Amino acid sequence: MEFVPVIGLEVHAQLKTRTKIFCSCSTRFGAPPNTHVCPVCLGMPGVLPVLNQTVVEFAMRMALATNCRIAPESRFARKNYFYPDLPKGYQISQYELPIAEHGRVYITRPDGSKKRIGLTRIHMEEDAGKLIHDPDRAVSYVDYNRTGVPLIEIVSEPDIESPEEAGAYLRQLRAIVRYLGISDGNMEEGSFRCDANVSVRPEDSQTLGTRTELKNLNSFKFVEKALAYEIERQIGVLAENGEVVQETRLWDTAKNRTVSMRGKEEAHDYRYFQDPDLVPLKIDEAWIGRIKSDLPELPDARKDRFMDQYGLPAYDADVLTGARELADYFEACAQAVNNPKLVSNWIMGSLLGLLNAEGKSIEETPISARQMAELLKLIDDEVISGKIAKTVFDEMVASGKTPKAIVEEKGLVQVTDQSAIEVVVDKVIADCPDEVAAYQAGKKKLLGFFVGRVMKETQGKANPQMVNTLLKKKLG
Ligand code: ADP
Ligand code: MG
Ligand code: ZN
């Protein structure tokens, strides 16, 4: 029997507001422990929370960007549980009436087609503090700076059908929060977290199987690996007529497997109830309209525009719009050089290759868009060949010099003087009588050999089209 995976993700994004969700403490990361705290976020008796308007507006931005319906009235509830990182003994979160529901985002499949992933809901809540365990002694410390930092939780429908789709969905959400400027979206640093729910069902059945929930997934790679492992594990259980147990499992990064953390019986009863200290949140159409008019162009729309305006393939458009800064970089180059596919190839190949190898983001690029455009202009105007351009690119990275300076200094200008190329072509033909005979006897593949020889003789500077044409003419 064939099984299909069913995946639904719960994503927490930390919001980049200046202050916390219910008090005016700073959210700045990296301050000495317990310096950004006050009676409200420490949960002292008798204090009153006051909702931060920017948190609401950031949540509204996300809701509108993902085509959610914003509730005219939503509520905050208390989620009760005991843990040392939660001084109040409850977390304020939205439960029955979240700020937004019924949204969708689109992911791009490897073949370029789009797939819709439904969003069940988006709600606002506060973060808990952080426990720090002493590696040398049986002691733990608690830092309440993060207590009360705003989060949004984005819950997907179980529309995701493979670990790769889960990865694509997360990248899409991350791109959206970054375009919106509401979160850093950094998984490794914990400002973007994901719990993955996964089950498998027989291909011919629409009934969902029993799911497990995976935690401790702090990189895209771990999400995909943990899901792949868990899908195989569940299929294995079912293939032997066993039963999948509903439980929470942790990804063990050292052993590359998931391990059971707690079963359904041990699941918390949070005893939710409406927080009596907070009034219902009312959002009218006028407010929604103001937030809507302020939204930037989003990744999906920008992707479509890149395909229309620049004629790029879906794959290129998807990669280039994955980050706002990368898309800006592309557009800056594409405006200077009227050859979008050339620009795209160089950014996706050489530039992203370099950045990936060095673990850098586009913001840290050693080559500015202006310098890149200058290099691409030299190629497009046929001043240098693509091959020489690679050398120039490497030299730009190494020395920080401009492409023009490098080309001049090293005498790399392409030879487009026909008579000069002809001299070399004639020499190569005279030097290789055996190959010439073989070519003329029908071994046409040898053309590449002759081209290679001419390029070598000219240190790669001869115009390749001219070399090809001349060789064909002379070899007959
Ligand atoms: P909980 O409140 O326990 O977290 P929810 O019903 O809110 O449960 O679902 C949480 C996530 O689990 C959602 O993203 C949803 O799409 C997903 N989900 C629900 N049922 C299944 C299932 N059978 N298989 C895979 N994912 C599921
Ligand atoms: Mg859950
Ligand atoms: Zn505070």
Side-chain angles (χ1 to χ4, degrees), residues 20 23-25 36-38 40-41:
K20 294 185 180 181
C23 63
S24 52
C25 289
H36 293 163
V37 291
C38 74
V40 174
C41 53

Side-chain angles (χ1 to χ4, degrees), residues 5-11 95 118 120-121 153-160 169 195-200 207-213 234 246 270 272:
V6 175
I7 299 165
L9 301 182
E10 295 166 275
V11 172
Y95 185 57
T120 315
R121 56 190 271 149
E153 178 171 343
I154 306 145
V155 182
S156 87
E157 292 289 306
D159 289 345
I160 300 162
Y169 168 76
D195 296 339
N197 297 271
V198 55
S199 63
V200 297
T207 318
L208 297 189
T210 305
R211 71 179 144 125
T212 57
E213 183 175 12
Q234 291 185 11
Q246 184 170 345
Y270 293 117
Y272 281 100

Side-chain angles (χ1 to χ4, degrees), residues 65-67 102-109 112-119 159-160 165 167-176 298-301 303-304 318 321:
T66 54
N67 300 290
H102 312 302
R104 58 181 181 272
V105 297
Y106 293 91
I107 57 171
T108 303
R109 295 197 183 92
S113 65
K114 285 189 187 182
K115 171 169 174 170
R116 174 191 197 279
I117 309 287
L119 298 191
D159 289 345
I160 300 162
E165 282 188 15
Y169 168 76
L170 287 173
R171 286 188 183 88
Q172 184 66 10
L173 278 194
R174 182 181 61 174
I176 295 171
L298 292 160
D300 218 37
K303 183 188 156 192
D304 291 342
D318 194 50
T321 54

